[in-house]
Amino acid sequence: MATHGDALRRRLGLTDSVVIGLGAMVGAGIFAALTPAAAAAGSWLLLALAVAALLAYCNATSSARLAARYPVSGGTYVYGRERLGAFWGYLAGWGFVAGKSASCAAMALTVGGYAWPEHSRVVAVATVVAITAINYTGVQKSALTTRIIVAAVLAVLMLVIGVGLLGNHSAATILPDRIGPRGVLQAAGLLFFAFAGYARIATLGEEVRDPRRTIPRAIMIALGLALAIYALVAVAALEVLGSAGLAHAIDPLAMVVATAGVSGLAPVVRVGAVLAAAGSLLALILGVSRTVLAMARDSYLPGALAAVHPRFGVPHRAELAVGAVVAVVAGTFDLRAAIGFSSFTVLVYYLIANVSAATLTEDRPPRWVPLVGAAGCVVVGLSLPLGSVLTGLAVLSVGTGWFAVRTRR
């Protein structure tokens, strides 16, 4: 546990917590995840969205009860350690840091791809540097920046929904109805990637005022708002493009407004996609750096990363380390295929969270919630593309080996 001198300052209220969680969910995922999900689920896209939402609800409920019980930075790393033992907490933290670091790089590359395709990597690295600087100067500034980004992205999404529902629907085409249960589950796994942002609220538990009351409320509010927005966007996209058109769209939401008859709004949607990806990157780096902080406090990572800045009250070394790793990866690798890997590791993370919640004796969720959540994480995770599953298992195996070496030493 942190000493008094290393404790982070509790500056965030309900509104800022909701905005950070909503900013992490309603980000680049809604601009990109619909296309591969539609390709997997076809006309059953809304069913896949419902499965992802149910899984997210179970995970959010379990996380909220655990975060209220353990209101410190670290999320499921802390919950697994306290409820199941040191190894399971460590495994959750390792998977989170690895998977979300890949997600950070993917979000940075998304910014570059939309903003300046010819120099996407340069833009990606510059974006990581800028957002790391924002986070370094204090979480309140991060919350304010996220609030501005969320407002802009929500305005763009409302525009897409309105144009999509009221515009021209004559171009919609349907994929052949050959989708099986595995396709629906795979689409649910891809869409769950876009829901997973509520974990940012839990990982900021040490910086939230009145965490026992604020964290559960913030998670539920953010999740409910994100689900409503995703459902409306999915309905509008299916109405305008159909499942076949959506499955083959490169920039699906820009194509929705263009195909619906208002092509002049497509550049506005692309700007919204850049803002959304930047907002997701900001929230992701916040969450990863707080998990690195918690693991460094317990000596699973170098102790220097546990330092808290005396003026800004943030884990500045952890944030710089995460920013440096993400910048290097974004500048040298194409990580769009890592979305599946990230989804797999995140589902392992929430599997541990659900099992941890099932062990609570006070203020625990309904018994069915962690059971359905844990089973869903396993089934949906194994339904992801085989390459993503094997890569995720390999990374988790490396982490397990490092834990064994450290324990022996």
Side-chain angles (χ1 to χ4, degrees):
M1 300 297 291
T3 64
H4 178 72
D6 289 334
L8 300 177
R9 300 171 188 171
R10 298 193 182 278
R11 299 174 172 178
L12 302 179
L14 178 62
T15 300
D16 282 340
S17 299
V18 169
V19 169
I20 288 176
L22 192 61
M25 283 185 280
V26 185
I30 192 60
F31 289 90
L34 287 178
T35 290
S43 299
W44 296 97
L45 178 64
L46 294 179
L47 175 59
L49 182 64
V51 173
L54 174 62
L55 185 56
Y57 170 78
C58 293
N59 294 343
T61 301
S62 294
S63 297
R65 299 299 176 89
L66 289 163
R69 176 67 178 82
Y70 303 102
V72 295
S73 290
T76 302
Y77 165 68
V78 173
Y79 315 149
R81 180 191 66 197
E82 297 296 325
R83 306 304 306 183
L84 305 176
F87 170 73
W88 297 106
Y90 165 83
L91 188 65
W94 178 274
F96 182 88
V97 170
K100 291 304 181 179
S101 294
S103 295
C104 287
M107 294 301 97
L109 289 168
T110 300
V111 172
Y114 274 94
W116 198 359
E118 296 80 6
H119 300 281
S120 61
R121 298 195 185 281
V122 174
V123 175
V125 173
T127 301
V128 173
V129 171
I131 288 179
T132 300
I134 292 172
N135 286 341
Y136 189 96
T137 56
V139 70
Q140 280 186 314
K141 293 183 178 63
S142 299
L144 175 61
T145 303
T146 303
R147 183 179 297 186
I148 294 171
I149 292 173
V150 169
V153 171
L154 288 177
V156 169
L157 292 178
M158 293 302 106
L159 186 67
V160 171
I161 292 168
V163 171
L165 294 179
L166 301 176
N168 181 14
H169 298 164
S170 62
T173 55
I174 307 299
L175 283 174
D177 190 12
R178 61 179 187 274
I179 306 299
R182 181 179 175 83
V184 173
L185 291 173
Q186 186 172 122
L190 295 169
L191 291 169
F192 176 76
F193 174 80
F195 276 110
Y198 55 76
R200 303 298 84 71
I201 302 172
T203 56
L204 295 172
E206 196 171 325
E207 294 157 272
V208 174
R209 296 192 298 269
D210 190 12
R212 290 183 180 274
R213 183 170 180 266
T214 299
I215 290 174
R217 292 178 63 197
I219 288 176
M220 290 298 106
I221 293 171
L223 179 62
L225 290 173
L227 174 58
I229 294 167
Y230 283 13
L232 288 172
V233 171
V235 169
L238 289 172
E239 287 289 326
V240 174
L241 301 177
S243 57
L246 182 57
H248 296 97
I250 297 175
D251 48 356
L253 299 194
M255 185 172 288
V256 166
V257 296
T259 307
V262 193
S263 58
L265 292 178
V268 176
V269 175
R270 292 189 177 94
V271 171
V274 170
L275 288 174
S280 291
L281 177 60
L282 188 151
L284 281 167
I285 290 179
L286 272 176
V288 174
S289 64
R290 269 57 180 181
T291 303
V292 169
L293 165 71
M295 295 181 73
R297 284 172 171 173
D298 291 340
S299 300
Y300 291 119
L301 292 175
L305 298 176
V308 175
H309 197 284
R311 176 183 174 188
F312 299 125
V314 299
H316 56 297
R317 291 178 182 171
E319 288 181 342
L320 290 175
V322 171
V325 170
V326 173
V328 169
V329 175
T332 55
F333 295 97
D334 179 4
L335 288 180
R336 293 190 183 275
I339 296 298
F341 158 73
S342 179
S343 296
F344 180 82
T345 55
V346 168
L347 287 167
V348 172
Y349 176 88
Y350 284 114
L351 170 62
I352 296 172
N354 280 292
V355 175
S356 299
T359 68
L360 290 172
T361 56
E362 297 180 2
D363 194 29
R364 65 185 179 193
R367 290 187 180 276
W368 68 269
V369 169
L371 294 177
V372 172
C377 287
V378 173
V379 173
V380 172
L382 293 178
S383 298
L384 288 166
L386 182 60
S388 298
V389 174
L390 294 178
T391 302
L393 290 174
V395 170
L396 294 175
S397 296
V398 171
T400 300
W402 170 247
F403 180 87
V405 170
R406 179 196 172 277
T407 301
R408 289 179 182 177
R409 291 177 59 185

